[in-house]
Amino acid sequence: MVLRLSRIYGKQIYNTKGNYVGYVDEILIDIDTGRGKVIALALPGEKVGIPYERVVSIGDILLVKAKE
């Protein structure tokens, strides 16, 4: 699947428990492999990274696996 990164910026992020997590502020990519590494979301006064491996689905929102 190919998706423009510009289409992901600003999308809301929810976890698999249905909780709102934040929105996509940045995406870090490993330039050696071309694969996503971290989705950074902005919270008031800070940025938090979510490992890209936790991304379950990208559509109208990003769905990430909830922490156990």
Side-chain angles (χ1 to χ4, degrees):
M1 172 187 226
V2 176
L3 182 65
R4 290 181 187 265
L5 292 178
S6 60
R7 293 186 157 257
I8 299 173
Y9 292 118
K11 285 193 180 283
Q12 294 181 343
I13 303 171
Y14 284 82
N15 67 23
T16 50
K17 293 183 180 179
N19 298 319
Y20 176 72
V21 177
Y23 67 91
V24 177
D25 187 58
E26 290 185 282
I27 302 169
L28 305 178
I29 296 178
D30 181 334
I31 58 171
D32 293 329
T33 64
R35 306 195 92 192
K37 283 292 185 189
V38 175
I39 301 285
L41 60 108
L43 298 174
E46 66 178 314
K47 286 189 182 182
V48 177
I50 298 173
Y52 194 80
E53 294 80 31
R54 287 186 46 207
V55 174
V56 175
S57 178
I58 301 174
D60 292 336
I61 62 164
L62 258 76
L63 184 63
V64 296
K65 185 176 179 184
K67 288 185 178 181
E68 310 247 337

